[in-house]
Amino acid sequence: NIEIWVLIWVSLSLILFIYRSMRPKVIELWLYKDGTYRDIDLFWLKTSKDIWVYRFDGSLYFANAWFFESTILNYISKKKKISYIILDFEWVNNIDSSAEEMLGNLVERLKENGIKVYITWVRTKVFEKLTISKFIKNFNDKRLMLNIEEALRRIKRKSDKKIDLSPL
């Protein structure tokens, strides 16, 4: 009898793990008063009208690439005036070929709509895979930044608009 219950609990744990990996945390970040970037919902932060900073917590692979793409596209459809997206890859530990392809297509689609994408905090393993797949070459390595602050400074320097980067 115990073996059946152990099998049921292991199965339920596996199903829960798969579900969570298919829908990892999606967090919109903005500058907090202490100078760090925090979850806007958790800290009740107001964000910029022009820039969206987004963090994806988890490996990016075939099972959740659609979730990543649909989350970004849904957000953009709600926020009409967005000009820049900063994707914080600090918690992306791994990426597979289907996710690389989705990312390339997404960046191209956003570019066609006048939205520039910057990517920050790319881990070595992810960077190597993106380089091998030619994503980095096609993406434009000038928009691959070390951290969010560097990307925001570049956006402020290059932008035609006056962008306020202080905590809102």
Side-chain angles (χ1 to χ4, degrees):
N1 240 358
I2 287 181
E3 292 134 0
I4 293 172
W5 284 106
V6 168
L7 183 61
I8 290 171
W9 283 111
V10 167
S11 299
L12 287 174
S13 297
L14 184 60
I15 290 168
L16 185 62
F17 171 76
I18 291 170
Y19 177 78
R20 284 183 180 162
S21 74
M22 288 176 63
R23 294 179 172 268
K25 278 178 135 180
V26 175
I27 301 170
E28 185 178 359
L29 306 172
W30 198 248
L31 191 60
Y32 189 64
K33 59 188 171 188
D34 68 356
T36 59
Y37 289 86
R38 307 245 176 136
D39 184 340
I40 65 157
D41 295 326
L42 193 59
F43 290 91
W44 301 346
L45 300 173
K46 293 183 180 178
T47 60
S48 169
K49 293 178 284 187
D50 302 307
I51 303 170
W52 181 46
V53 182
Y54 169 85
R55 186 177 76 210
F56 187 80
D57 290 351
S59 293
L60 196 50
Y61 67 110
F62 72 95
N64 63 17
W66 64 271
F67 180 72
F68 177 86
E69 182 178 31
S70 66
T71 302
I72 290 176
L73 294 175
N74 285 337
Y75 182 82
I76 290 169
S77 69
K78 293 176 190 171
K79 207 168 185 178
K80 301 286 183 197
K81 294 184 179 182
I82 194 148
S83 302
Y84 304 94
I85 293 178
I86 299 172
L87 300 175
D88 179 10
F89 273 24
E90 183 175 9
W91 295 104
V92 176
N93 295 321
N94 201 359
I95 190 167
D96 74 359
S97 60
S98 59
E100 290 172 37
E101 184 179 343
M102 175 279 307
L103 189 59
N105 293 337
L106 178 64
V107 167
E108 193 58 39
R109 201 166 159 189
L110 294 174
K111 182 180 173 184
E112 290 170 2
N113 288 300
I115 300 171
K116 293 181 181 159
V117 178
Y118 289 79
I119 300 177
T120 65
W121 288 112
V122 179
R123 294 175 179 249
T124 305
K125 184 176 181 181
V126 174
F127 181 78
E128 288 170 353
K129 287 185 176 185
L130 291 175
T131 303
I132 290 168
S133 72
K134 307 277 190 258
F135 173 83
I136 298 295
K137 183 179 178 185
N138 296 333
F139 176 66
N140 181 355
D141 58 3
K142 292 182 177 133
R143 288 188 282 134
L144 190 65
M145 302 289 152
L146 181 61
N147 54 43
I148 296 169
E149 294 84 10
E150 184 181 331
L152 288 171
R153 282 193 299 273
R154 168 128 343 141
I155 289 169
K156 190 170 184 177
R157 244 186 356 258
K158 300 272 183 184
S159 177
D160 301 337
K161 303 176 189 177
K162 183 178 180 192
I163 296 176
D164 182 19
L165 299 180
S166 61
L168 298 171

